[in-house]
C-alpha cells in the first residue's frame, strides 16, 4: 500500500467511511476499492478525486501532488493521470499545484503543455488578451507529429482558447458556431474525465452566448447541467458561476429569485472556502450590487467595484453623490478609456439624459448584448412615459 493510499484509508476510517461507502460514491464494487488501497490496481484520477472529495470535502489540493507520485508505480497510466489532474487544477486556481503539474505535463507532451500553460498565464494575468490571441492563432500550425491519441484533446483545447477570445472580443456568435464542432470532437477523446471536463467548459461558454443573445430557455438548459452535484464536487467554480447565472437571468423580472441566487453563490463560495479566488469572489459581489441597485434596494451593498459605486451614486442623485459620481467618470476618461455601455448608462442616469440613454442602448446593441440592453430600455421606457405625461398636461 502506498503512503498516500494508507493515509487516505486511515483518515476515512476515522470518519466512519468504509470501502462500501467509497465504492458507492465512485461507482465501483467494494472489492475494487480494496484493490486500489492495496496497490493491486491503479485508481484513475476521476475515481481518485471523487473519493478524495467524499472524504476530505474541501481541503485536499496537496494530495494531488502525492497522487502523481503514487502513479509512479503505474508508469503506463501516469501521463493521462497527470493531464487529467492538470485540467482539474486550472479550475482551482491553485498556482503552486498547477505549476507542478505543468512541469510534469511538459515531459509527456509539449503541445498540451503549451496550451495549458497559455491558459494558466492568462488566468494569472501574466499575459493580456492580445498576446493570448496571438499565441492561440499560431497553435494549430504545429500539430505535425502529434500522437493520434492526443490530437482530439489538443483540438478541443485550441477551440476552448478561441471561445475565450471570442468572449473577450464580444464575438459571441463565434462561440455558438464553434461549440457545435467542439462537442463532436470531444466524443473522440478516450478519457471519461476529460470528456466531462471539456463538455462542462463548452457549456459554460455557450451560456455566455445564450445570455447575451437573450435566449433564456437555452440558458436555463445549460444552468441545469452546471449546477449538478457532480459539477459542484469536481468543478466548484463552475458551479458558483451556474448559480450566479440564475441570479442574472432573473435580474429584470424576479428580484426575489435573483437576490436569493446571488446570495447563495457568495454564501456557497465562503462555505467551501473559495473566497480567496478574488477575481471570482469580487465579480459575484459586483453582480450582487448590480441586481440590488437595478431593483432599487440600496441596503447591504458591497460597493467594492467602481462601476457599481458609480451606478449607486447615480441612482441616489443627491448633490454629494453627484459630485463623487462625476469624479469617477472623470478618472475613467482621464485614463484614456472610453465609457462602456454600462458606464454610459450610469452617466445618463446621473444626468437624467434621455438622448444619452439612447446612446447607451445603441452601445449595448453594438456589443451584441441583447440581455443587458434591458437596463437602458428600462429607463427609456420610464422617461418617455414621463415626457408623454408632461405633454398631455
Amino acid at each position: 500500500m502506498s503512503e498516500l493510499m494508507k493515509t487516505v484509508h486511515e483518515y476515512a476510517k476515522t470518519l466512519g467511511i468504509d470501502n462500501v461507502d467509497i465504492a458507492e460514491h465512485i461507482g465501483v464494487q467494494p472489492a475494487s476499492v480494496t484493490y486500489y488501497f492495496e496497490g493491486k490496481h491503479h485508481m484513475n484520477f476521476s475515481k481518485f478525486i471523487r473519493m478524495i472529495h467524499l472524504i476530505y470535502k474541501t481541503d485536499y489540493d496537496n494530495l494531488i501532488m502525492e497522487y502523481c507520485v503514487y502513479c509512479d508505480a503505474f508508469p503506463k497510466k501516469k501521463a493521462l493521470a497527470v493531464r487529467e489532474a492538470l485540467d482539474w487544477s486550472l479550475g482551482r486556481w491553485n498556482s503552486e499545484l498547477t505549476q507542478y503539474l505543468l512541469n510534469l505535463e511538459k515531459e509527456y507532451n509539449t503541445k498540451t503543455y503549451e496550451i495549458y500553460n497559455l491558459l494558466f498565464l492568462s488566468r494569472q494575468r501574466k499575459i493580456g488578451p492580445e498576446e493570448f490571441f496571438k499565441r492561440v492563432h499560431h497553435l494549430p500550425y504545429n500539430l505535425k507529429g502529434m500522437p493520434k491519441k492526443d490530437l482530439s484533446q489538443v483540438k478541443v483545447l485550441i477551440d476552448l482558447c478561441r471561445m475565450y477570445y471570442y468572449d473577450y472580443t464580444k464575438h459571441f456568435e463565434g462561440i455558438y458556431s464553434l461549440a457545435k464542432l467542439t462537442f463532436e470532437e470531444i466524443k473522440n477523446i478516450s478519457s471519461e474525465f476529460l470528456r466531462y471536463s471539456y463538455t462542462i467548459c463548452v457549456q459554460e461558454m455557450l451560456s455566455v452566448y445564450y445570455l447575451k443573445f437573450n435566449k433564456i430557455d437555452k440558458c436555463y438548459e445549460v444552468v441545469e447541467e452546471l449546477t449538478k452535484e457532480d459539477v459542484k464536487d469536481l468543478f466548484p467554480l463552475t458551479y458558483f458561476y451556474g448559480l450566479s447565472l440564475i441570479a442574472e437571468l432573473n435580474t429584470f423580472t424576479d428580484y426575489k429569485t435573483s437576490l436569493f441566487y446571488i446570495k447563495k453563490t457568495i454564501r456557497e463560495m465562503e462555505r467551501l472556502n473559495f473566497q480567496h479566488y478574488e477575481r471570482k469572489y469580487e465579480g459575484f459581489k459586483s453582480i450582487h450590487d448590480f441586481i440590488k441597485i437595478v431593483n432599487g434596494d440600496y441596503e447591504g451593498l458591497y460597493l467594492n467595484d467602481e462601476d457599481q459605486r458609480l451606478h449607486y451614486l447615480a441612482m441616489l442623485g443627491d448633490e454629494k453623490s453627484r459630485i463623487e459620481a462625476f469624479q469617477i467618470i472623470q478618472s475613467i476618461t482621464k485614463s484614456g478609456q472610453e465609457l462602456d455601455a454600462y458606464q454610459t448608462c450610469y452617466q445618463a442616469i446621473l444626468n437624467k439624459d434621455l438622448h444619452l440613454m439612447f446612446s447607451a442602448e445603441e452601445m449595448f446593441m453594438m456589443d451584441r448584448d441583447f440581455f443587458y440592453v434591458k437596463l437602458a430600455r428600462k429607463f427609456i421606457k420610464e422617461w418617455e412615459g414621463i415626457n408623454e405625461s408632461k405633454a398631455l398636461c
Side-chain angles (χ1 to χ4, degrees), residues 93-316:
W93 289 21
N94 182 326
S95 301
E96 181 182 355
L97 174 60
T98 299
Q99 190 60 65
Y100 170 81
L101 293 166
L102 279 168
N103 292 338
L104 291 179
E105 180 64 23
K106 195 174 185 179
E107 298 176 15
Y108 295 110
N109 189 311
T110 56
K111 180 56 71 173
T112 51
Y113 161 80
E114 180 184 359
I115 302 172
Y116 278 117
N117 188 54
L118 181 59
L119 290 167
F120 178 59
L121 292 173
S122 177
R123 293 188 181 189
Q124 293 289 106
R125 295 189 173 178
K126 292 182 178 179
I127 59 171
E130 297 304 325
E131 178 63 22
F132 178 81
F133 174 68
K134 181 180 176 181
R135 297 195 192 185
V136 170
H137 176 72
H138 290 100
L139 285 174
Y141 295 104
N142 189 24
L143 298 182
K144 191 175 181 179
M146 174 67 56
K148 188 175 180 180
K149 64 182 178 62
D150 294 336
L151 190 57
S152 288
Q153 293 176 31
V154 170
K155 288 180 178 179
V156 169
L157 285 169
I158 292 172
D159 283 353
L160 283 169
C161 287
R162 285 173 171 159
M163 288 183 206
Y164 297 143
Y165 189 74
Y166 288 153
D167 182 17
Y168 172 74
T169 56
K170 299 180 173 61
H171 180 38
F172 305 116
E173 300 99 316
I175 295 174
Y176 178 73
S177 299
L178 189 54
K180 292 186 288 186
L181 299 174
T182 308
F183 280 134
E184 288 300 312
E185 195 64 51
I186 287 172
K187 294 176 184 178
N188 298 325
I189 296 173
S190 60
S191 163
E192 174 267 334
F193 180 84
L194 290 177
R195 284 200 309 273
Y196 187 43
S197 176
Y198 295 158
T199 298
I200 292 297
C201 287
V202 176
Q203 287 175 330
E204 186 173 341
M205 292 310 301
L206 260 180
S207 74
V208 174
Y209 163 76
Y210 289 141
L211 179 68
K212 296 299 185 182
F213 274 70
N214 200 33
K215 296 179 181 292
I216 306 301
D217 290 343
K218 285 290 187 180
C219 223
Y220 271 114
E221 288 178 15
V222 175
V223 163
E224 189 174 342
E225 297 299 319
L226 300 185
T227 54
K228 287 182 175 178
E229 279 298 309
D230 201 38
V231 174
K232 180 180 178 180
D233 293 348
L234 293 175
F235 315 110
L237 291 176
T238 298
Y239 169 74
F240 301 146
Y241 166 76
L243 293 178
S244 73
L245 186 54
I246 299 175
E248 289 187 78
L249 289 168
N250 287 279
T251 299
F252 301 104
T253 53
D254 187 343
Y255 176 51
K256 185 177 179 180
T257 297
S258 184
L259 186 61
F260 172 82
Y261 275 99
I262 196 58
K263 284 188 172 182
K264 182 176 180 179
T265 303
I266 296 169
R267 187 172 63 249
E268 283 286 278
M269 201 168 189
E270 292 170 346
R271 186 179 69 83
L272 296 173
N273 297 319
F274 274 82
Q275 62 267 37
H276 56 286
Y277 299 97
E278 192 170 341
R279 279 170 59 189
K280 288 280 188 181
Y281 190 48
E282 293 301 322
F284 293 141
K285 286 181 178 180
S286 178
I287 294 171
H288 168 275
D289 285 358
F290 179 86
I291 290 167
K292 288 180 75 75
I293 296 167
V294 164
N295 288 280
D297 182 356
Y298 307 138
E299 295 294 323
L301 299 173
Y302 295 101
L303 297 179
N304 297 337
D305 177 66
E306 185 179 64
D307 279 4
Q308 290 316 306
R309 182 155 192 83
L310 173 59
H311 189 186
Y312 168 67
L313 294 168
M315 290 299 296
L316 288 183

Side-chain angles (χ1 to χ4, degrees), residues 295-389:
N295 288 280
D297 182 356
Y298 307 138
E299 295 294 323
L301 299 173
Y302 295 101
L303 297 179
N304 297 337
D305 177 66
E306 185 179 64
D307 279 4
Q308 290 316 306
R309 182 155 192 83
L310 173 59
H311 189 186
Y312 168 67
L313 294 168
M315 290 299 296
L316 288 183
D318 60 90
E319 189 60 29
K320 183 180 178 182
S321 299
R322 286 173 61 80
I323 291 170
E324 186 180 346
F326 281 124
Q327 289 173 344
I328 292 173
I329 291 171
Q330 285 176 352
S331 71
I332 294 170
T333 55
K334 281 182 178 180
S335 68
Q337 300 179 60
E338 294 184 0
L339 297 183
D340 63 21
Y342 292 94
Q343 293 162 344
T344 302
C345 195
Y346 305 150
Q347 186 181 35
I349 296 169
L350 184 64
N351 297 328
K352 291 185 169 53
D353 185 333
L354 180 59
H355 178 73
L356 187 58
M357 192 60 80
F358 274 116
S359 295
E361 179 190 32
E362 185 177 358
M363 291 172 73
F364 277 115
M365 297 296 285
M366 291 293 290
D367 287 344
R368 318 292 284 165
D369 193 338
F370 305 118
F371 182 80
Y372 279 106
V373 71
K374 296 173 187 178
L375 176 64
R377 288 174 177 170
K378 175 179 182 287
F379 287 96
I380 290 170
K381 182 179 180 181
E382 179 183 325
W383 291 347
E384 284 189 324
I386 292 171
N387 290 343
E388 288 175 7
S389 298

